[in-house]
mmCIF file of all heavy atoms in Angstrom:
data_model
loop_
_atom_site.group_PDB
_atom_site.id
_atom_site.type_symbol
_atom_site.label_atom_id
_atom_site.label_comp_id
_atom_site.label_asym_id
_atom_site.label_seq_id
_atom_site.Cartn_x
_atom_site.Cartn_y
_atom_site.Cartn_z
ATOM 1 N N PHE A 68 15.017 -0.371 10.369
ATOM 2 C CA PHE A 68 14.913 -0.902 9.024
ATOM 3 C C PHE A 68 15.062 0.212 7.957
ATOM 4 O O PHE A 68 15.898 0.090 7.030
ATOM 5 C CB PHE A 68 13.543 -1.613 8.892
ATOM 6 C CG PHE A 68 13.124 -1.905 7.477
ATOM 7 C CD1 PHE A 68 13.626 -2.959 6.794
ATOM 8 C CD2 PHE A 68 12.196 -1.082 6.847
ATOM 9 C CE1 PHE A 68 13.227 -3.245 5.480
ATOM 10 C CE2 PHE A 68 11.753 -1.322 5.532
ATOM 11 C CZ PHE A 68 12.289 -2.446 4.846
ATOM 12 N N ILE A 72 18.068 0.560 5.166
ATOM 13 C CA ILE A 72 17.978 0.402 3.728
ATOM 14 C C ILE A 72 18.131 1.702 3.012
ATOM 15 O O ILE A 72 18.678 1.735 1.914
ATOM 16 C CB ILE A 72 16.667 -0.282 3.306
ATOM 17 C CG1 ILE A 72 15.453 0.522 3.611
ATOM 18 C CG2 ILE A 72 16.499 -1.671 3.916
ATOM 19 C CD1 ILE A 72 14.175 0.082 2.925
ATOM 20 N N ASP A 216 8.238 -9.085 2.708
ATOM 21 C CA ASP A 216 8.858 -8.932 1.355
ATOM 22 C C ASP A 216 10.395 -9.088 1.318
ATOM 23 O O ASP A 216 10.926 -10.035 0.788
ATOM 24 C CB ASP A 216 8.384 -7.676 0.658
ATOM 25 C CG ASP A 216 8.471 -6.405 1.542
ATOM 26 O OD1 ASP A 216 8.923 -6.514 2.681
ATOM 27 O OD2 ASP A 216 8.048 -5.346 1.063
ATOM 28 N N SER A 217 11.063 -8.105 1.892
ATOM 29 C CA SER A 217 12.530 -8.071 1.647
ATOM 30 C C SER A 217 13.309 -9.051 2.489
ATOM 31 O O SER A 217 14.499 -9.274 2.248
ATOM 32 C CB SER A 217 13.034 -6.673 1.855
ATOM 33 O OG SER A 217 12.553 -6.115 3.000
ATOM 34 N N LEU A 274 3.061 -3.769 -2.223
ATOM 35 C CA LEU A 274 4.447 -4.103 -2.024
ATOM 36 C C LEU A 274 4.816 -5.429 -2.696
ATOM 37 O O LEU A 274 5.999 -5.641 -3.075
ATOM 38 C CB LEU A 274 4.800 -4.108 -0.536
ATOM 39 C CG LEU A 274 4.871 -2.748 0.096
ATOM 40 C CD1 LEU A 274 4.697 -2.787 1.575
ATOM 41 C CD2 LEU A 274 6.129 -2.030 -0.267
ATOM 42 N N ARG A 326 5.168 4.131 -5.357
ATOM 43 C CA ARG A 326 6.058 3.006 -5.034
ATOM 44 C C ARG A 326 6.705 2.424 -6.334
ATOM 45 O O ARG A 326 6.075 2.373 -7.373
ATOM 46 C CB ARG A 326 5.283 1.857 -4.364
ATOM 47 C CG ARG A 326 4.896 2.134 -2.998
ATOM 48 C CD ARG A 326 4.438 0.889 -2.245
ATOM 49 N NE ARG A 326 3.847 1.251 -0.940
ATOM 50 C CZ ARG A 326 4.561 1.544 0.109
ATOM 51 N NH1 ARG A 326 5.870 1.506 0.064
ATOM 52 N NH2 ARG A 326 3.952 1.850 1.257
ATOM 53 N N PRO A 327 7.964 1.999 -6.162
ATOM 54 C CA PRO A 327 8.758 1.567 -7.352
ATOM 55 C C PRO A 327 8.662 0.103 -7.695
ATOM 56 O O PRO A 327 9.258 -0.340 -8.653
ATOM 57 C CB PRO A 327 10.159 1.937 -6.903
ATOM 58 C CG PRO A 327 10.156 1.700 -5.456
ATOM 59 C CD PRO A 327 8.755 2.057 -4.953
ATOM 60 N N GLU A 328 8.002 -0.704 -6.841
ATOM 61 C CA GLU A 328 8.163 -2.155 -6.989
ATOM 62 C C GLU A 328 7.787 -2.654 -8.381
ATOM 63 O O GLU A 328 8.456 -3.545 -8.925
ATOM 64 C CB GLU A 328 7.341 -2.902 -5.929
ATOM 65 C CG GLU A 328 7.951 -2.932 -4.552
ATOM 66 C CD GLU A 328 7.762 -1.610 -3.777
ATOM 67 O OE1 GLU A 328 7.134 -0.671 -4.319
ATOM 68 O OE2 GLU A 328 8.349 -1.461 -2.679
ATOM 69 N N PHE A 384 12.276 6.954 -1.780
ATOM 70 C CA PHE A 384 12.426 5.836 -2.688
ATOM 71 C C PHE A 384 12.015 6.147 -4.111
ATOM 72 O O PHE A 384 12.374 5.390 -5.033
ATOM 73 C CB PHE A 384 11.693 4.574 -2.161
ATOM 74 C CG PHE A 384 10.227 4.768 -1.777
ATOM 75 C CD1 PHE A 384 9.275 5.013 -2.692
ATOM 76 C CD2 PHE A 384 9.860 4.652 -0.434
ATOM 77 C CE1 PHE A 384 7.976 5.195 -2.322
ATOM 78 C CE2 PHE A 384 8.538 4.809 -0.023
ATOM 79 C CZ PHE A 384 7.613 5.062 -1.002
ATOM 80 N N GLU A 388 14.758 4.585 -6.250
ATOM 81 C CA GLU A 388 14.366 3.325 -6.963
ATOM 82 C C GLU A 388 13.634 3.648 -8.261
ATOM 83 O O GLU A 388 14.025 3.132 -9.330
ATOM 84 C CB GLU A 388 13.462 2.476 -6.096
ATOM 85 C CG GLU A 388 14.188 1.968 -4.857
ATOM 86 C CD GLU A 388 13.328 0.874 -4.159
ATOM 87 O OE1 GLU A 388 13.105 -0.163 -4.737
ATOM 88 O OE2 GLU A 388 12.856 1.178 -3.081
ATOM 89 N N THR A 414 17.383 -3.735 -1.511
ATOM 90 C CA THR A 414 15.941 -3.540 -1.609
ATOM 91 C C THR A 414 15.583 -2.102 -1.895
ATOM 92 O O THR A 414 14.512 -1.820 -2.404
ATOM 93 C CB THR A 414 15.243 -4.017 -0.328
ATOM 94 O OG1 THR A 414 13.839 -4.102 -0.599
ATOM 95 C CG2 THR A 414 15.517 -3.110 0.849
ATOM 96 N N GLU A 415 16.475 -1.136 -1.633
ATOM 97 C CA GLU A 415 16.184 0.224 -1.983
ATOM 98 C C GLU A 415 16.921 0.623 -3.239
ATOM 99 O O GLU A 415 17.132 1.832 -3.541
ATOM 100 C CB GLU A 415 16.737 1.115 -0.778
ATOM 101 C CG GLU A 415 16.340 2.543 -0.765
ATOM 102 C CD GLU A 415 14.911 2.893 -0.371
ATOM 103 O OE1 GLU A 415 14.129 1.983 -0.111
ATOM 104 O OE2 GLU A 415 14.569 4.097 -0.324
HETATM 105 C C1 DMJ B 1 11.293 0.756 -0.376
HETATM 106 O O1 DMJ B 1 11.701 1.589 0.576
HETATM 107 C C2 DMJ B 1 11.965 -0.602 -0.299
HETATM 108 O O2 DMJ B 1 11.930 -1.197 -1.541
HETATM 109 C C3 DMJ B 1 11.385 -1.515 0.733
HETATM 110 O O3 DMJ B 1 11.965 -2.773 0.763
HETATM 111 C C4 DMJ B 1 9.878 -1.633 0.615
HETATM 112 N N1 DMJ B 1 9.395 -0.748 -0.297
HETATM 113 C C5 DMJ B 1 9.794 0.601 -0.260
HETATM 114 C C6 DMJ B 1 9.112 1.392 -1.403
HETATM 115 O O4 DMJ B 1 7.880 1.037 -1.680
#
Side-chain angles (χ1 to χ4, degrees):
F68 164 79
I72 66 167
D216 47 4
S217 44
L274 286 162
R326 288 195 189 278
E328 284 76 6
F384 51 68
E388 295 191 67
T414 192
E415 190 76 358

